Amino acid sequence: REAAIGQRWPLARGAAPARGAAILAVRHHRGGGGGALHAADRRDGDELGPLARLLRPGPRCREPLELGRGARAGENAGGGRDDPFEARGGPDAALAENLRRDILDASPSVRWDDIAGLVDAKRLLEEAVVLPLWMPEYFRGIRRPWKGVLMFGPPGTGKTMLAKAVATECGTTFFNISSSTLASKYRGESERMVRILFDLARHHAPSTIFIDEIDSLCTSRGASGEHEASRRVKSEFLVQIDGCSAVDDAHDDDDENGGGSGAKKVMVLAATNFPWDIDEALRRRLEKRIYIPLPDAEARNALVNINVRGVEVAPDVDFDALARRTEGYSGDDITNVCRDAAMNGMRRKIVGKRPEEIRAMSKEEVAAPITMEDMNEALKRIQPSVAREDVERHLEWLAEFGST
């Protein structure tokens, strides 16, 4: 009741009673058995003031709450807002507001050129997201865009970087979703958030829903120890992906007949390091399943050049030799090698100095170009993080379920 006063009463009467008055009224109401209330709760000569009527048991207690809900809906409707959740009000509006926080307003500033290699993955993502925006008349019917793309591979190979590039380059509304976004302690709220997520994506279409580490959200159903709530979330997620596709197809048919205004394109972009744990129904809905491998020699050479782009490099650095020596390294491993090598010059200059001497040094005194010796020392300290068995397992899954 105290929460109801704070949230609903201002919408009905324009001002909320003080917290102390609310607690006092509750105490009188409980202790007096419906008897006399405090004089502060009387207003304009009424036998019962508005606060007492709100706390009164029975149907009359609900009238201010319903009035508040109607007033909120009327304000949104009169204000010209086109967001369906704001106009509708109620609990869905609060859940939608939480999901809006995961819409990327600022660009991640990652371009396609910032990602070395992965030509097939870039081509497929451009085909699924960019080209349908440029040529909407072509991508209809059997040529409709892919509704789901799964990127899988060892850790550190650039899956999240590709998603950031999609958010930067494609100009669509980008939803960055994780399992914590859809988690709730209330029964039925998690699956309702899944529905609201897709409703928001359709409202802001064209849009992309990126789900990182999707294996933590949609593991195989029927596994031992699976909770009922988790199964309901998976089922709602699968229904919404297919529902999203059905809306697109219907709009495409209308457009071909001259009666539509364009499909609401929503694509689900997912990434995982454990594709074998994903539910088979979700695997079918993610129509394109592309393997993001470890970088080859050419990509490793390009990665080193990209990572040392903003620092001075000595002429003796042999990029081809570094590409050969980093075989088996992931993209993140190569980045760590370059970062470590870039700090070796600073480490040599501060050796033996006191803290106050280090603080007095300028940037020019600390800066030093990266040499081949720095790279060799970094390679000795940093080993690959991806096991060969992990790579082989991904290749086996690609041979069985890949769709590139």
Side-chain angles (χ1 to χ4, degrees):
R1 288 177 178 176
E2 188 178 341
I5 293 170
Q7 295 179 5
R8 303 297 187 186
W9 188 260
L11 297 172
R13 304 286 294 196
R19 174 181 172 89
I23 297 175
L24 181 62
V26 172
R27 288 175 179 170
H28 277 277
H29 183 67
R30 290 178 178 175
L37 292 171
H38 195 275
D41 296 325
R42 304 179 185 274
R43 184 175 179 177
D44 298 333
D46 291 344
E47 181 182 357
L48 293 178
L51 177 59
R53 287 199 303 272
L54 180 65
L55 297 173
R56 192 175 186 174
R60 290 174 60 89
C61 179
R62 298 183 180 178
E63 293 176 2
L65 305 186
E66 296 300 327
L67 178 59
R69 185 179 296 112
R72 174 167 26 177
E75 289 174 3
N76 291 332
R81 298 178 183 177
D82 58 353
D83 194 312
F85 295 101
E86 291 182 358
R88 191 183 309 164
D92 283 1
L95 296 179
E97 185 61 31
N98 291 335
L99 289 170
R100 285 192 194 95
R101 299 171 186 171
D102 292 312
I103 299 178
L104 290 186
D105 295 328
S107 171
S109 301
V110 177
R111 304 288 178 182
W112 295 122
D113 295 338
D114 297 331
I115 304 174
L118 304 179
V119 178
D120 291 338
K122 294 177 186 177
R123 173 191 57 79
L124 183 61
L125 290 175
E126 288 182 345
E127 183 180 296
V129 183
V130 182
L131 295 183
L133 299 178
W134 293 350
M135 301 182 294
E137 297 81 6
Y138 180 81
F139 286 90
R140 292 178 180 173
I142 195 62
R143 299 192 186 102
R144 62 185 178 273
W146 311 111
K147 61 185 176 184
V149 176
L150 173 67
M151 300 182 294
F152 68 95
T157 51
K159 298 180 289 295
T160 306
M161 287 284 289
L162 285 169
K164 291 179 180 179
V166 170
T168 302
E169 298 276 8
C170 298
T172 62
T173 306
F174 194 84
F175 292 81
N176 185 24
I177 303 299
S178 63
S179 56
S180 62
T181 306
L182 306 176
S184 175
K185 64 181 180 179
Y186 298 107
R187 179 181 177 85
E189 195 165 276
S190 294
E191 50 266 37
R192 193 167 67 189
M193 291 181 72
V194 173
R195 175 182 57 81
I196 294 172
L197 168 64
F198 279 86
D199 286 346
L200 278 175
R202 297 184 191 106
H203 176 72
H204 294 284
S207 56
T208 302
I209 300 175
F210 174 60
I211 306 176
D212 203 0
E213 308 297 344
I214 195 173
D215 53 277
S216 63
L217 185 64
C218 290
T219 54
S220 297
R221 291 169 292 174
S224 59
E226 182 185 27
H227 195 273
E228 175 194 359
S230 175
R231 188 180 183 92
R232 291 199 306 268
V233 171
K234 298 171 190 175
S235 300
E236 181 66 24
F237 192 80
L238 297 175
V239 168
Q240 288 298 326
I241 294 181
D242 260 353
C244 173
S245 175
V247 170
D248 287 352
D249 292 347
H251 279 264
D252 285 341
D253 294 339
D254 291 341
D255 289 344
E256 289 176 357
N257 296 329
S261 59
K264 291 187 174 297
K265 304 299 182 186
V266 177
M267 187 192 75
V268 176
L269 180 62
T272 180
N273 301 325
F274 301 94
W276 43 83
D277 290 339
I278 293 178
D279 186 79
E280 59 181 5
L282 178 63
R283 186 174 66 224
R284 194 268 300 172
R285 285 164 172 81
L286 297 173
E287 300 166 314
K288 284 296 182 179
R289 300 174 291 276
I290 54 179
Y291 176 53
I292 310 299
L294 294 175
D296 55 16
E298 183 180 355
R300 293 195 297 272
N301 192 325
L303 275 170
V304 175
N305 278 277
I306 290 173
N307 283 306
V308 300
R309 185 184 297 167
V311 295
E312 185 180 358
V313 180
D316 64 335
V317 176
D318 188 347
F319 291 96
D320 293 332
L322 290 174
R324 291 191 299 269
R325 294 184 57 184
T326 52
E327 183 178 2
Y329 283 67
S330 67
D332 279 350
D333 295 336
I334 294 175
T335 300
N336 291 337
V337 168
C338 294
R339 290 177 61 188
D340 191 88
M343 299 178 69
N344 280 337
M346 177 270 298
R347 291 168 181 155
R348 287 192 296 267
K349 291 191 175 185
I350 66 172
V351 170
K353 293 184 180 294
R354 296 191 301 271
E356 56 271 15
E357 294 177 338
I358 296 175
R359 286 194 295 266
M361 297 177 68
S362 63
K363 178 183 176 181
E364 291 73 17
E365 293 176 333
V366 178
I370 301 176
T371 64
M372 192 64 184
E373 181 183 356
D374 296 332
M375 288 291 188
N376 293 332
E377 292 179 4
L379 286 172
K380 292 177 182 178
R381 288 193 292 262
I382 299 176
Q383 304 301 320
S385 61
V386 180
R388 187 180 300 275
E389 294 78 9
D390 192 17
V391 175
E392 293 176 355
R393 190 173 184 184
H394 279 94
L395 291 175
E396 292 175 1
W397 197 89
L398 171 66
E400 186 174 2
F401 299 112
S403 173
T404 57

